[in-house]
Amino acid sequence: AVGTGLAFTPAGAFVVSGTASVATVLNESDDTSPNILFLTNSAVPGAAVGQLSPGEIISIFGTNLGPAIPTQGTAAGLTPYPSQLAGFQVLIDGIAAPLLYVSESQINAVVPFGTIGSDSVQLVVVNLLDTSNPAELEIVSATPGVFTTQNESQGYPVAAAVNQDGTINSETNPASPGSIVSIFSTGLGRLSPLPPDGTLVSASPLPTLNQQVLLGSGDQFLDILYAVPAPDEVAGAMQVNFRLPATTTGTAPIIMFVQNWFSEYFTVWVSGT
């Protein structure tokens, strides 16, 4: 969501307003208080958002959000990612979110699957001494984002993808037209049955998505073989396998749809383009 207004509270703090029911109150600057500046879907780190969806992996940016030495959470078996890391928590309407990573300027967390049923929620970062400014965010059914690399092709970001033979998709190792490619995403919504928040999804059969995923490219929809939780990754990380168009004349940029919500455009390396 793009900021549309700036104002002061009676106490002298900044308030940044935006679309989609977003209002972020920025604390007065000091040396200790956590201060949220903006949030993103972790798959699209450059685009600030005003919506969250259940199970979405998010990145929170700001100041004093975590320890001076970055700390990474761990999970194994049935033990989930921690809801407190290095003395810091992320609370979404009072529910502690699983934490993947915390540092002074960034936190990566997973929106709890139970975060649904209201139009908006309040997100705060809490440490042992203080609570951050609140971020008011809209809750929606999906916020699809596709994980990409730092490369671009034909002006579009290239997805972090795996070719049909199991090798990494790259400019020097492109996929063949008509072959199957795997991409990775988050923000695709609730799962059935619901896995415990922050756990690694490895059960067989894997949970299924409650909503249909579509991929559009040019004037056609691509053939999706399946869209399921990425095996042995945190619940909320998704794998989508799809078939490329059988053409060598170039692949149009791809966009992901989940109901009325859609991702940023992306592409993959394809031979003949």
Side-chain angles (χ1 to χ4, degrees):
V2 177
T4 58
L6 181 66
F8 288 101
T9 69
F14 285 111
V15 177
V16 180
S17 64
T19 58
S21 306
V22 185
T24 301
V25 180
L26 305 182
N27 285 339
E28 294 183 43
S29 177
D30 60 44
D31 293 333
T32 59
S33 298
N35 198 37
I36 298 171
L37 296 178
F38 66 99
L39 291 85
T40 75
N41 180 307
S42 291
V44 195
V49 296
Q51 299 90 19
L52 300 178
S53 64
E56 178 187 7
I57 303 173
I58 60 172
S59 295
I60 306 164
F61 296 92
T63 57
N64 303 317
L65 297 180
I69 300 175
T71 303
Q72 187 169 330
T74 58
L78 298 178
T79 303
Y81 279 93
S83 58
Q84 185 179 92
L85 194 56
F88 288 81
Q89 284 187 301
V90 172
L91 301 180
I92 303 177
D93 269 4
I95 302 174
L99 301 179
L100 309 181
Y101 170 87
V102 295
S103 71
E104 285 186 314
S105 60
Q106 179 178 344
I107 294 177
N108 293 345
V110 184
V111 178
F113 282 103
T115 307
I116 197 167
S118 59
D119 292 334
S120 64
V121 293
Q122 185 179 91
L123 183 150
V124 294
V125 176
V126 178
N127 62 23
L128 298 178
L129 301 175
D130 208 351
T131 299
S132 76
N133 54 311
E136 301 286 343
L137 299 151
E138 184 183 17
I139 290 294
V140 296
S141 61
T143 50
V146 175
F147 289 95
T148 59
T149 67
Q150 295 182 346
N151 298 313
E152 284 194 358
S153 174
Q154 305 173 78
Y156 294 95
V158 178
V162 177
N163 295 333
Q164 184 169 332
D165 62 2
T167 60
I168 301 298
N169 180 264
S170 68
E171 186 173 11
T172 57
N173 187 40
S176 301
S179 66
I180 297 168
V181 174
S182 301
I183 57 173
F184 303 91
S185 179
T186 191
L188 305 191
R190 288 168 66 87
L191 301 169
S192 294
L194 278 179
D197 290 326
T199 55
L200 303 180
V201 179
S202 57
S204 181
L206 293 168
T208 58
L209 270 171
N210 287 9
Q211 305 172 106
Q212 184 181 18
V213 177
L214 299 173
L215 290 176
S217 181
D219 60 356
Q220 64 181 314
F221 285 105
L222 303 181
D223 180 22
I224 295 179
L225 282 74
Y226 64 82
V228 296
D232 299 319
E233 297 294 340
V234 67
M238 306 296 295
Q239 178 178 334
V240 178
N241 289 10
F242 68 96
R243 189 178 299 278
L244 289 166
T247 176
T248 57
T249 59
T251 300
I254 303 168
I255 189 169
M256 178 181 289
F257 299 90
V258 182
Q259 290 193 339
N260 295 328
W261 306 100
F262 51 88
S263 72
E264 301 285 332
Y265 280 99
F266 66 94
T267 189
V268 295
W269 298 108
V270 182
S271 56
T273 61

